[in-house]
Amino acid sequence: MNSIFNQLLNVKGAVVEDARIVGSPLRPVPALEIRARPRKGMLRCPQCGRRRHGYDRGGGRRRWRHQDFGCFRAELVADMPRVDCPGCSVVVAMAPWTEPGSRFTRDFERECAWLMTVASQKTVSGFPHVAWRTAGDIAHRVAERLKAAIPSPFDHLTLIGVDETSYRKGHTYITVVVDHERHRVI
Ligand SMILES: [Zn+2]
């Protein structure tokens, strides 16, 4: 069953160990709790982001919200070890499926950020049940990740040309900057 859950959830870097539906007086709506562990070699230092080996099991249990599964709210639960990072210190490892300080998986954050671009505040608050302020933090993290993944046109510029011209009968000016090495307008 766990391997089916692994495939269905498709959380990068996670190995599913167990899944169960949990409810309690404090949790009137039952949730799907997925016990997982980070895949071998996937632990990172939360401060510098480098891959590190586990140091001990002293990090404790952590919980992240994942995309809903059918009609159930899904939560990933994992015992996170600590890592000994030479440049930083002994710190609780960052799980491969999340960002430092986030209570959500990256997949959940991506879905939520997309919803924010196509739906109203009321929908975002009501459908994935995320407070608007929290949704703002999520959007910020997703934007940072996209920025890091997409190279900037200003990277590795060595030779540029700048010219100014006017249009609309000479009343409006535009400045054109050209990357001479890659032959494109920036
Ligand atoms: Zn580090």
Side-chain angles (χ1 to χ4, degrees):
M1 185 194 84
N2 294 345
S3 90
I4 292 174
F5 259 104
N6 256 325
Q7 291 175 47
L8 288 174
L9 288 166
N10 193 27
V11 178
K12 203 177 168 198
V15 179
V16 173
E17 295 185 319
D18 186 29
R20 62 195 182 128
I21 292 165
V22 293
S24 74
L26 290 172
R27 186 199 280 280
V29 181
L32 176 68
E33 190 180 271
I34 303 136
R35 296 288 308 274
R37 63 178 159 81
R39 228 172 252 291
K40 221 175 158 71
M42 294 290 280
L43 295 178
R44 286 181 189 273
C45 166
Q47 284 163 26
C48 65
R50 293 204 172 90
R51 282 196 184 171
R52 297 289 179 220
H53 293 296
Y55 174 71
D56 64 12
R57 305 214 59 78
R61 186 160 295 180
R62 298 285 192 280
R63 188 178 285 270
W64 301 267
R65 180 154 176 217
H66 187 54
Q67 285 151 302
D68 290 356
F69 199 85
C71 60
F72 291 102
R73 177 190 167 112
E75 291 175 1
L76 225 66
V77 180
D79 292 321
M80 291 307 296
R82 296 192 302 172
V83 289
D84 185 6
C85 183
C88 304
S89 59
V90 176
V91 283
V92 179
M94 183 171 84
W97 51 79
T98 189
E99 295 288 316
S102 172
R103 294 177 290 112
F104 308 98
T105 64
R106 286 202 186 96
D107 293 342
F108 179 88
E109 291 196 334
R110 255 198 310 269
E111 186 180 80
C112 195
W114 168 78
L115 193 62
M116 287 170 77
T117 65
V118 295
S120 67
Q121 178 175 346
K122 196 175 165 192
T123 308
V124 176
S125 309
F127 175 56
H129 302 290
V130 169
W132 191 242
R133 221 175 115 181
T134 308
D137 292 342
I138 289 173
H140 182 71
R141 279 193 294 270
V142 172
E144 288 298 313
R145 283 204 291 279
L146 287 173
K147 247 196 285 180
I150 299 169
S152 160
F154 302 110
D155 287 346
H156 314 298
L157 271 184
T158 52
L159 190 62
I160 60 167
V162 183
D163 199 5
E164 195 170 59
T165 187
S166 62
Y167 70 108
R168 281 191 196 156
K169 293 179 189 167
H171 296 304
T172 308
Y173 294 89
I174 58 168
T175 304
V176 181
V177 181
V178 181
D179 177 351
H180 277 314
E181 291 208 318
R182 284 171 283 192
H183 309 291
R184 63 182 185 184
V185 175
I186 303 166

Short mmCIF file of all heavy atoms in Angstrom, two decimals, residues 45-50 52 85-89 91, ligand 1:
data_model
loop_
_atom_site.label_atom_id
_atom_site.label_comp_id
_atom_site.label_asym_id
_atom_site.label_seq_id
_atom_site.Cartn_x
_atom_site.Cartn_y
_atom_site.Cartn_z
N CYS A 45 20.91 21.43 4.84
CA CYS A 45 21.03 22.42 5.92
C CYS A 45 20.02 23.54 5.60
O CYS A 45 20.03 24.07 4.49
CB CYS A 45 22.45 22.96 5.96
SG CYS A 45 22.61 24.45 6.97
N PRO A 46 19.18 23.93 6.56
CA PRO A 46 18.16 24.96 6.26
C PRO A 46 18.77 26.35 6.10
O PRO A 46 18.12 27.25 5.57
CB PRO A 46 17.24 24.90 7.48
CG PRO A 46 18.09 24.36 8.58
CD PRO A 46 19.10 23.44 7.93
N GLN A 47 20.02 26.51 6.55
CA GLN A 47 20.61 27.85 6.48
C GLN A 47 21.35 28.10 5.18
O GLN A 47 21.19 29.15 4.56
CB GLN A 47 21.53 28.07 7.69
CG GLN A 47 20.71 28.34 8.95
CD GLN A 47 21.51 28.15 10.22
OE1 GLN A 47 22.72 28.29 10.24
NE2 GLN A 47 20.83 27.83 11.30
N CYS A 48 22.16 27.13 4.74
CA CYS A 48 22.91 27.37 3.48
C CYS A 48 22.36 26.54 2.33
O CYS A 48 22.75 26.76 1.18
CB CYS A 48 24.39 27.06 3.68
SG CYS A 48 24.74 25.33 4.03
N GLY A 49 21.46 25.59 2.62
CA GLY A 49 20.82 24.82 1.55
C GLY A 49 21.66 23.67 1.02
O GLY A 49 21.24 22.98 0.09
N ARG A 50 22.87 23.45 1.60
CA ARG A 50 23.72 22.36 1.09
C ARG A 50 23.26 21.01 1.63
O ARG A 50 22.74 20.93 2.73
CB ARG A 50 25.17 22.60 1.50
CG ARG A 50 25.77 23.82 0.83
CD ARG A 50 27.28 23.70 0.78
NE ARG A 50 27.83 24.77 -0.01
CZ ARG A 50 28.20 25.96 0.49
NH1 ARG A 50 28.07 26.17 1.78
NH2 ARG A 50 28.66 26.89 -0.29
N ARG A 52 23.55 17.62 3.41
CA ARG A 52 24.36 17.18 4.54
C ARG A 52 23.90 15.83 5.03
O ARG A 52 22.74 15.45 4.87
CB ARG A 52 24.24 18.19 5.70
CG ARG A 52 24.75 19.57 5.37
CD ARG A 52 26.26 19.58 5.28
NE ARG A 52 26.79 20.90 4.94
CZ ARG A 52 27.80 21.09 4.11
NH1 ARG A 52 28.38 20.07 3.52
NH2 ARG A 52 28.25 22.30 3.88
N CYS A 85 26.33 20.97 9.99
CA CYS A 85 26.84 21.71 8.84
C CYS A 85 28.09 22.48 9.26
O CYS A 85 28.01 23.33 10.15
CB CYS A 85 25.77 22.66 8.31
SG CYS A 85 26.31 23.54 6.84
N PRO A 86 29.24 22.21 8.63
CA PRO A 86 30.49 22.87 9.05
C PRO A 86 30.39 24.40 9.02
O PRO A 86 30.90 25.09 9.89
CB PRO A 86 31.52 22.37 8.04
CG PRO A 86 30.93 21.16 7.43
CD PRO A 86 29.44 21.29 7.51
N GLY A 87 29.70 24.94 8.02
CA GLY A 87 29.62 26.38 7.89
C GLY A 87 28.56 27.00 8.79
O GLY A 87 28.59 28.21 9.05
N CYS A 88 27.59 26.22 9.24
CA CYS A 88 26.48 26.77 10.03
C CYS A 88 26.56 26.24 11.46
O CYS A 88 27.26 26.81 12.28
CB CYS A 88 25.16 26.44 9.36
SG CYS A 88 25.09 27.02 7.64
N SER A 89 25.86 25.16 11.76
CA SER A 89 25.94 24.56 13.10
C SER A 89 25.16 23.25 13.04
O SER A 89 24.80 22.78 11.97
CB SER A 89 25.33 25.50 14.14
OG SER A 89 23.98 25.77 13.81
N VAL A 91 21.86 21.75 13.20
CA VAL A 91 20.50 22.29 13.05
C VAL A 91 19.55 21.20 12.56
O VAL A 91 19.99 20.21 11.96
CB VAL A 91 20.44 23.47 12.05
CG1 VAL A 91 20.96 24.74 12.66
CG2 VAL A 91 21.21 23.13 10.78
ZN ZN B 1 24.73 25.11 6.38
#
